[in-house]
């Protein structure tokens, strides 16, 4: 890899922007495709597929064998609420390679004893969230059932374009949540992005089962094409 290309790649990775290095296997010629250019690249379909799957691999195009080396940011999971579901969800997400952070101003819940080896921030969302630099490669779940905690957190998730946003609560609870969020400036499009009731409809009852349904929905949102996402919802 040329030094100039390496410098560009390192800059993209530092900014948590995905990039794909395309190498012609026969000639060794390389080019770096940044996130903003993937949609208009001649290999757009192949690049999009490999980026969505987070996997490097070989493709053939225009009679050439090309190796696509995918550099995608590590996915994050921000959990608002140190509740029982969160205790089950955090280790599942960690096992799948997510960087997990739990936020809850209620210190009785946000304790190291309840969340071993998980970063905890016992602050209100308006204090805890800005330093995290939440971005598009972040899944965001609000689980407290307390509007004073969940609502400002969800507004932050809208502003930072998280790839997944979910919130605990029934349809009736979510309708009231939508009214509150609109009153605080959220758009209908913002509210439509919230997965609520949260998780795939697998009949989950216990906190652990609900955690599985949430992580499955996050995975589907990250990995599946748009049409298949709708079928999984």
């Amino acid at each position: 890899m040329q030094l100039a290309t390496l410098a560009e790649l390192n800059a993209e990775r530092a900014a948590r922007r995905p990039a794909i290095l395309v190498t012609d296997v026969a000639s060794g010629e390389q080019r770096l495709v940044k996130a903003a250019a993937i949609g208009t690249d001649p290999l757009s379909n192949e690049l999009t597929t490999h980026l969505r799957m987070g996997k490097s691999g070989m493709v053939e195009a225009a009679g050439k064998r090309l190796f696509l080396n995918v550099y995608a940011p590590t996915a994050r999971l921000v959990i608002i609420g140190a509740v029982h579901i969160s205790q089950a969800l955090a280790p599942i997400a960690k096992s799948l390679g997510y960087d997990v952070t739990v936020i809850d101003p209620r210190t009785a819940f946000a304790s190291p004893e309840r969340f071993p080896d998980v970063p905890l921030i016992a602050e209100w969302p308006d204090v805890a969230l800005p330093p995290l630099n939440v971005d598009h490669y972040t899944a965001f779940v609000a689980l407290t059932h307390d509007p004073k905690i969940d609502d400002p957190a969800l507004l932050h998730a809208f502003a930072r374009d998280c790839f997944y946003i979910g919130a605990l609560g029934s349809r009736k609870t979510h309708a009231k949540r939508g009214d509150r969020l609109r009153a605080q400036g959220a758009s209908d499009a913002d509210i439509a992005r919230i997965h609520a009731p949260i998780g795939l409809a697998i009949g989950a009852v216990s906190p652990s089962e609900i955690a599985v349904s949430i992580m499955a929905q996050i995975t589907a949102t990250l990995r599946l094409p748009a049409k298949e996402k709708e079928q999984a919802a």
Side-chain angles (χ1 to χ4, degrees), residues 48-49 51-54 163 200 216-233:
T48 299
T49 297
L51 179 59
R52 186 179 66 247
M53 298 304 298
F163 80 85
L200 294 183
Q217 191 172 57
I218 291 172
T219 302
T221 302
L222 180 65
R223 299 301 186 199
L224 292 180
K227 185 175 181 180
E228 293 180 38
K229 289 177 191 176
E230 294 175 1
Q231 294 173 348

Side-chain angles (χ1 to χ4, degrees), residues 14 22 26 36 38 42 44 67 69 90 103 109 118 128 132-133 143 148 160 166 172 180 189 207 215-216 218-219 225:
V22 181
I38 288 175
S44 176
F67 188 79
N69 204 327
I103 297 170
F109 292 90
V118 176
L132 292 182
N133 295 317
L143 303 177
K148 297 191 301 296
R160 302 311 295 263
K172 183 177 179 180
R180 293 194 309 269
M215 204 64 234
I218 291 172
T219 302

Side-chain angles (χ1 to χ4, degrees), residues 11-220:
E12 295 305 295
R13 297 182 72 184
R16 285 183 56 83
R17 292 189 295 261
I20 300 177
L21 184 67
V22 181
T23 303
D24 186 319
V25 175
S27 68
E29 180 181 352
Q30 294 183 319
R31 63 188 181 90
L32 185 67
V33 184
K34 300 178 183 179
I38 288 175
T40 57
D41 192 272
L43 296 173
S44 176
N45 289 338
E46 293 85 351
L47 296 174
T48 299
T49 297
H50 279 262
L51 179 59
R52 186 179 66 247
M53 298 304 298
K55 290 184 178 181
S56 302
M58 194 78 69
V59 300
E60 293 193 13
K64 296 181 179 180
R65 297 183 72 231
L66 306 170
F67 188 79
L68 308 183
N69 204 327
V70 176
Y71 296 90
T74 300
R76 296 171 173 168
L77 173 61
V78 173
I79 303 173
I80 305 298
V83 297
H84 291 311
I85 295 171
S86 307
Q87 287 181 282
L89 179 59
I92 295 173
K94 286 187 66 177
S95 74
L96 294 175
Y98 284 70
D99 287 339
V100 181
T101 302
V102 176
I103 297 170
D104 197 321
R106 304 168 299 182
T107 54
F109 292 90
S111 67
E113 293 76 20
R114 300 183 73 230
F115 290 88
D117 303 318
V118 176
L120 294 169
I121 305 177
E123 299 281 359
W124 291 88
D126 60 340
V127 174
L129 287 170
L132 292 182
N133 295 317
V134 169
D135 60 16
H136 180 67
Y137 274 81
T138 303
F140 198 100
V141 298
L143 303 177
T144 73
H145 261 317
D146 186 338
K148 297 191 301 296
I149 302 174
D150 285 349
D151 289 3
L154 290 168
L155 291 170
H156 188 87
F158 298 153
R160 302 311 295 263
D161 190 33
C162 296
F163 80 85
Y164 174 92
I165 302 173
L168 193 65
S170 65
R171 298 185 190 281
K172 183 177 179 180
T173 297
H174 182 57
K176 293 179 180 178
R177 177 191 294 125
D179 291 340
R180 293 194 309 269
L181 292 173
R182 289 186 190 91
Q184 297 176 74
S187 68
D188 288 340
D190 288 332
I191 294 164
R193 295 190 58 210
I194 303 174
H195 293 271
I198 196 170
L200 294 183
I202 61 173
V205 176
S206 70
S208 294
E209 290 174 343
I210 295 170
V212 169
S213 75
I214 292 171
M215 204 64 234
Q217 191 172 57
I218 291 172
T219 302

